[in-house]
Amino acid sequence: MREFAFELRLCAHLERAYPVVARQLGTSVRAAGGRIVDIVCLTRGPDFDARTRLTPDAIPAAVVEADIGAGRWRRVVDAFDGPPARARDLAERGEMAGFLETERRDGHAVVRQTARYPDWVGDIVGIENKPDLGTPGDLTAQLRHDVSLCVLDYAILATESYVTRAHLNRLPPAVGVWRVDFDAAEPIEVVREPTRLDASGWGIEPGDTHPGRRDVTPVTPDEKATQRRRVAERAYGKGWRTYGLPACVNAESGTEAGVTTLPDCAYKDRLVDAAGECGPDCPGYDAADPPDVDLDAERATRQAWDPDAASARTQVGLDQWTND
Ligand code: SF4
């Protein structure tokens, strides 16, 4: 539970510095769900603002990479690689995300983009939270994964512990280290700056371990580029306010760094993970409506994210769209 509260409080501070902050995103290329990074922050690329006008949702990477333009219709089955069922599924997902539109022409389902896909992602910063370095768990293996695969531009460890030279020596040298003290005027102290990772080159993805050896898989630059786009899109669509507020009389909306929607509990006197901690099994539980908070509205005021982006897009000509 300490890590959960630490993560939410740290996100509240980070969104003052980064336009996109998200939690719990997978970065593995081959092993689905293999490496989950605690916090992912994005910096602005050259066309970042165009992305905020496009859609508030994540756009699937396969939709972005399909050969579909903004100004021409293509048959759905020709626009995507693979069998027709996959093509129809991707067209539907792209339409639901607000990036594609579809209709029928001459008896065929056709598709086009509602806008050009912008070059919007700057750096991808991954942060691993380990408030207590006395119980490191898989920390070293997780960070080795990050600096070996290099889907991220930077990998950082965040902790509340005092960081010794022995701790630093155990970590890959490219990993940055932050010491976090939420009671301090400047809560994040940079103990060691991260070194930029080779995000555009080949990567090596660590796999399963066996007695005396470990599987590794080379990953091409193209595969990494796709995964980076996937991570960025998921971060943009998801954000970090993915928690629920407890439906309990003891629930309160907690505050940190100007955020006022955190899931706090008067009974436990700390932030709580409602999905894992709250309910009849908790001795303090007393059913009630959860605190009335608007997580999307708070995100919209503090992050570069417009929940109404798609509805602001208007068609100005037969084959021409614009973002107002
Ligand atoms: S269920 Fe327990 S942990 Fe959750 S808000 Fe109520 S008292 Fe707190």
Side-chain angles (χ1 to χ4, degrees), residues 246 248-251 264-268 272 274 277-279 282-286:
C248 171
V249 74
N250 287 308
D264 210 346
C265 168
Y267 178 79
K268 294 190 174 176
V272 290
E277 291 185 78
C278 297
C282 172
Y285 176 69
D286 188 357

Side-chain angles (χ1 to χ4, degrees), residues 253-275:
S253 44
T255 62
E256 181 79 37
V259 171
T260 60
T261 64
L262 299 178
D264 210 346
C265 168
Y267 178 79
K268 294 190 174 176
D269 194 23
R270 60 171 174 79
L271 299 185
V272 290
D273 180 1

Side-chain angles (χ1 to χ4, degrees), residues 39 76 96 102 201 296:
I39 301 176
V76 168
M96 283 174 59
T102 62
D296 282 353

Side-chain angles (χ1 to χ4, degrees), residues 14 18 156-159 163 168 175-181 186-195:
L14 291 174
Y18 294 96
I156 294 170
L157 163 68
T159 181
V163 182
L168 293 177
V175 172
V177 180
W178 292 346
R179 187 168 185 218
V180 180
D181 177 358
E186 294 292 337
I188 299 175
E189 175 198 354
V190 179
V191 177
R192 185 168 80 188
E193 293 280 0
T195 303

